[in-house]
Amino acid sequence: MRTIKFRGLEANPYCEELRTFLYGTPLFITNEENYILPNFWDYEGLNKFKVLKKTISQFTGLFDKNGKEIYEGDIIEDTLGRKKIVEYFQDGFWLNASFDGAEWCLRRENSSSKVIGNIYENPELISKTPTH
């Protein structure tokens, strides 16, 4: 059974370079305010942390060749050096090489590929030129 969990980049307008991913269950309050509820309770009640809505992404249930969890929005690199973006489709998680429109099944690729970043923190890893 796959573990259902999410992550989102914390909304910290005062120090963007120190933003980190927070993990837990998403809580959507309004279009402007979205939170992650961590998977723990504190002594004074439930903590919630404000996150950027566009960065909320789901765990695929899969790990890369180094044992790192793979989430939507991650950029993975295969053994040939091709970069692919993890996206969710109705039938499951897929890798989308947005450069040429080709799609690959993540389940077939994860054991030989590695996560090298994500589209939120490392947009520079995505070039408009094909890497293959």
Side-chain angles (χ1 to χ4, degrees):
M1 175 183 249
R2 179 168 65 91
T3 302
I4 306 296
K5 60 182 173 179
F6 295 82
R7 71 178 182 190
L9 274 175
E10 65 183 327
N12 184 348
Y14 303 109
C15 194
E16 287 187 31
E17 62 274 356
L18 295 179
R19 282 189 174 141
T20 59
F21 275 105
L22 302 171
Y23 296 82
T25 304
L27 174 64
F28 303 102
I29 296 181
T30 68
N31 285 337
E32 293 80 36
E33 294 194 8
N34 300 280
Y35 297 88
I36 287 282
L37 303 175
N39 296 328
F40 66 86
W41 291 78
D42 66 13
Y43 294 110
E44 297 177 13
L46 184 65
N47 283 319
K48 64 182 179 184
F49 301 98
K50 192 171 182 180
V51 295
L52 301 172
K53 182 178 182 178
K54 68 179 182 177
T55 67
I56 296 173
S57 51
Q58 187 175 0
F59 176 48
T60 64
L62 301 173
F63 299 85
D64 74 359
K65 71 178 187 177
N66 298 320
K68 185 172 181 172
E69 295 177 340
I70 301 174
Y71 283 81
E72 289 176 272
D74 279 345
I75 302 168
I76 69 167
E77 186 174 68
D78 68 13
T79 55
L80 299 176
R82 294 178 295 195
K83 297 173 187 166
K84 302 170 186 175
I85 302 167
V86 177
E87 294 181 344
Y88 182 78
F89 294 91
Q90 276 188 322
D91 296 334
F93 288 95
W94 293 81
L95 297 172
N96 180 19
S98 55
F99 312 115
D100 61 9
E103 296 173 354
W104 293 271
C105 179
L106 179 58
R107 193 165 298 281
R108 290 191 303 255
E109 299 265 341
N110 68 302
S111 62
S112 61
S113 298
K114 65 180 177 182
V115 174
I116 60 170
N118 61 70
I119 60 174
Y120 314 111
E121 296 176 302
N122 315 104
E124 71 280 359
L125 294 175
I126 306 167
S127 78
K128 296 186 188 281
T129 307
T131 58
H132 58 281

